[in-house]
Structure formats: structure tokens, C-alpha cells
Amino acid sequence: MALNVVDLASISQVCKSWNKASRDPTLWRKLDLTGLSSSSFKIPMVPQAWKDMQSSIKITQFMKYVLSLSNGNTSCLIFNYYVYLTDVHLILAAERTPYLKRLVLPCSGDLSKLGLHTAMSSWGSLESITITSMYHANALVRYTPNLKALSIRNILVNMRALCHVLENLHHLEEINICHSLILDRPEAKVVVYRIHDLENHLNISCRRKLIFCQRKSCLRCKNGCDNNPTRQPYGLFEDIWREDEIRSLAH
């Protein structure tokens, strides 16, 4: 049975020999914080519940500890779906994961432009990222020139930001926009773009990079058919958080 991040943190405190064993670099290639649970932190597993200062401090302390165990060997970082991400969390992670190649951000948070740019400037090796807001566009273009895969599904996407990313990230191979609402606000008027509208705004090479839901074939549509009564209210999204229609990003 594989140990999750909470298990590893716990056994590292048993004795010196176990602490040494828990620092094995192979254990930390992927740091998956989805292993955090309400029993571990006594925080309800619902969006916004981790927003208060006490919860934020708990997450910060835990991240400091497990990242010290990883000793900079993490190449894939997956945040828990419910963590309310702040500048402190993101910069802390960036400073301690200089060789990160894969990043999955949580569903909510409050990041400043300075905090975002400070963190992203440490991640020049990033090749894939799942983000929750396209205000990251400028930072992506500036600091992650080697990005190959980008997942921005189920969010609001600014059309100009999308074009900026597609036109300037030259190594980008795939971008997932399943169930995202693409819009713009030229001259104070909101314009919503459907998939076929993109033909008039993107060249064919850019359009070929887009992945979108066709005939309810995406993970969200398939997962929404699960009517298990024991499922949590936000299970539809949490269940697929670590997965992706871009096959190279599935975990």
C-alpha cells in the first residue's frame, strides 16, 4: 500500500532511522497534497472552509515540514482541491521546488500579482500546469517558456489572455478548455465565444492545440453520471481534480 504525504510526515517523526528513510528522494518526486483530510487538519472538506487564518497557518506549517523532507526533489506538486491558496503558500512551494515540472493548483485562493510573479519566476522548468484563473497568462508567458500542456477547464477564460498564451508559448502542445466559458469585454460589452467562434480568432495551428468537450465525452460529463448517494456535494469536481483530458497530465 502506497503511503500518502500525511503518512510520510508521521513516520518521519518516529525515530532518526525512519526520518532518514522518509527523506528518500524517490518518495518525493510527486508531492500529492490530496492526501490531506478533514481528520488530519480538522477542517471541513468544502470550498472556502480553509480560508481562515488558523487553517492557513496549519497548511503553511505542514508544507514547510514536508518540503524540508523532500529536499528540493519534487518535480510534480498537486495541491489539495480545498486548500485556499495564498501568496505565502505559493511562494513557499516555489522556493523549495526549483525543479518542478508539473503543477496542479487548487480551486480557490487569493493571489496577488506580485506573489504570483515571485513564485512563477522560480519555476522556469515547468512543462505543465492546471490553473484556476487566466489572470496567470502574463506570468505563464514570461516565466514558463517551456510549457507544453496547460489545463484551464471549468473556469472563466478571457479571450485575449487565451490568444496571448497560444501565440507566445511556442512549446505549448495542448490546452484543455473543457467547459470553460470564453469571453471578452471590448468597449464595456461582454462577448461570449462558442467553440466554433474561435475559428475567426485563432489560426489553424492554435486551434489544433485546443481540447474541448465533444458529445459529453469529457471527465466532468462522465463523472456527473455517478449518482452515488455517499458522494460529497463537490465530488463531481474533486474526483477529477488530479485527472485530465490531456492524457500526459492524468495522475
Side-chain angles (χ1 to χ4, degrees), residues 191-230:
V191 178
V192 177
Y193 297 88
R194 292 171 294 182
I195 293 299
H196 71 265
D197 295 328
L198 300 181
E199 296 180 2
N200 299 322
H201 298 272
L202 300 173
N203 61 45
I204 189 169
S205 62
C206 288
R207 296 201 303 271
R208 285 174 175 169
K209 298 177 181 180
L210 299 177
I211 294 176
F212 50 89
C213 182
Q214 301 183 66
R215 299 179 181 177
K216 297 186 177 182
S217 60
C218 73
L219 291 171
R220 175 180 170 179
C221 289
K222 292 179 179 178
N223 204 40
C225 296
D226 182 358
N227 296 317
N228 186 338
T230 64

Side-chain angles (χ1 to χ4, degrees), residues 150-247:
L150 174 63
S151 184
I152 51 173
R153 62 184 178 180
N154 305 317
I155 64 172
L156 295 177
V157 176
N158 180 275
M159 182 63 180
R160 280 173 288 179
L162 178 62
C163 292
H164 183 57
V165 165
L166 283 167
E167 292 169 0
N168 292 280
L169 285 176
H170 303 298
H171 296 285
L172 192 64
E173 298 172 358
E174 295 178 291
I175 179 167
N176 186 352
I177 59 171
C178 285
H179 291 280
S180 286
L181 182 63
I182 303 172
L183 48 79
D184 203 351
R185 186 174 291 180
E187 301 178 357
K189 179 182 179 181
V190 176
V191 178
V192 177
Y193 297 88
R194 292 171 294 182
I195 293 299
H196 71 265
D197 295 328
L198 300 181
E199 296 180 2
N200 299 322
H201 298 272
L202 300 173
N203 61 45
I204 189 169
S205 62
C206 288
R207 296 201 303 271
R208 285 174 175 169
K209 298 177 181 180
L210 299 177
I211 294 176
F212 50 89
C213 182
Q214 301 183 66
R215 299 179 181 177
K216 297 186 177 182
S217 60
C218 73
L219 291 171
R220 175 180 170 179
C221 289
K222 292 179 179 178
N223 204 40
C225 296
D226 182 358
N227 296 317
N228 186 338
T230 64
R231 174 189 250 182
Q232 295 298 313
Y234 299 94
L236 170 61
F237 303 104
E238 183 188 5
D239 293 350
I240 63 172
W241 195 243
R242 300 162 71 256
E243 304 299 326
D244 206 279
E245 286 76 12
I246 299 177
R247 292 184 180 180

